[in-house]
Amino acid sequence: GHQNSPVINNFINEKFDILLDLNFDNCKPAYYIAALSQSTFKVGRLSPQNKLSHDFLIDIGQSNNSIDFFIKHVQHYLQIMNSHSYAAQ
């Protein structure tokens, strides 16, 4: 099983600054990996599965499964957050 994979264990234990969750196909192992990830800030699509494990969720609607559309929104929000964090210093 994937629980014993060194690659997956290394990924889960890596403290990435940001984890972009692009799991739009309801892939169960990907939910598991994202939930266990030690990443500091987890960004994903608004869904019941992501509500408990993610730090920031973006509602792109049920009909729009475009990863490009999602990434444009992520970039937009991260730029806003970045400019606010610099302004606060």
Side-chain angles (χ1 to χ4, degrees):
H2 54 80
Q3 288 92 342
N4 301 325
S5 163
V7 172
I8 292 179
N9 286 335
N10 288 343
F11 184 88
I12 286 171
N13 291 320
E14 183 77 34
K15 290 183 165 54
F16 297 111
D17 291 336
I18 295 177
L19 174 72
L20 281 187
D21 180 349
L22 303 178
N23 177 16
F24 288 9
D25 300 324
N26 296 322
C27 171
K28 300 240 182 331
Y31 285 127
Y32 168 87
I33 291 166
L36 292 182
S37 166
Q38 298 299 303
S39 297
T40 307
F41 192 69
K42 301 178 196 179
V43 180
R45 192 174 81 149
L46 180 65
S47 74
Q49 295 91 335
N50 290 343
K51 278 189 175 172
L52 294 174
S53 56
H54 290 50
D55 301 295
F56 193 75
L57 297 172
I58 297 173
D59 186 359
I60 59 168
Q62 292 306 310
S63 58
N64 198 329
N65 279 340
S66 159
I67 287 180
D68 290 341
F69 183 80
F70 175 77
I71 289 175
K72 282 191 181 107
H73 280 73
V74 170
Q75 287 174 320
H76 170 75
Y77 288 116
L78 290 180
Q79 282 170 347
I80 291 171
M81 287 180 212
N82 230 355
S83 63
H84 282 290
S85 66
Y86 284 125
Q89 289 175 4

